[in-house]
Amino acid sequence: MVRVITQILVGLMLFFGAVTLFPKSYIEFKSKKPAKGIMYIFLGLLALFFSSMAFYYAYLILNMKP
């Protein structure tokens, strides 16, 4: 059960990190810095990917048959 809670907390941490990276990327694009904007988009997508994987692993752990 501790692993499930840890995976959910890591997933939430990464999700909220991604949610803060996307507006940062928008601000960088508006200030005419496309390289930094693309970097923040890439990091946000990477955080979303790992967040979804953390939630998926928590789901798998919950549905394991003893």
Side-chain angles (χ1 to χ4, degrees), residues 7-61:
Q7 289 292 337
I8 290 172
L9 289 176
V10 167
L12 285 173
M13 177 189 67
L14 287 166
F15 177 75
F16 287 119
V19 168
T20 58
L21 282 170
F22 288 124
K24 176 75 173 160
S25 129
Y26 178 72
I27 290 168
E28 294 295 335
F29 275 117
K30 288 207 43 139
S31 66
K32 308 270 195 256
K33 298 178 188 171
K36 277 195 167 186
I38 291 171
M39 180 187 70
Y40 284 124
I41 285 177
F42 175 72
L43 290 174
L45 290 174
L46 195 63
L48 276 179
F49 172 73
F50 283 119
S51 173
S52 65
M53 291 307 294
F55 288 128
Y56 178 68
Y57 287 140
Y59 171 75
L60 286 180
I61 293 168

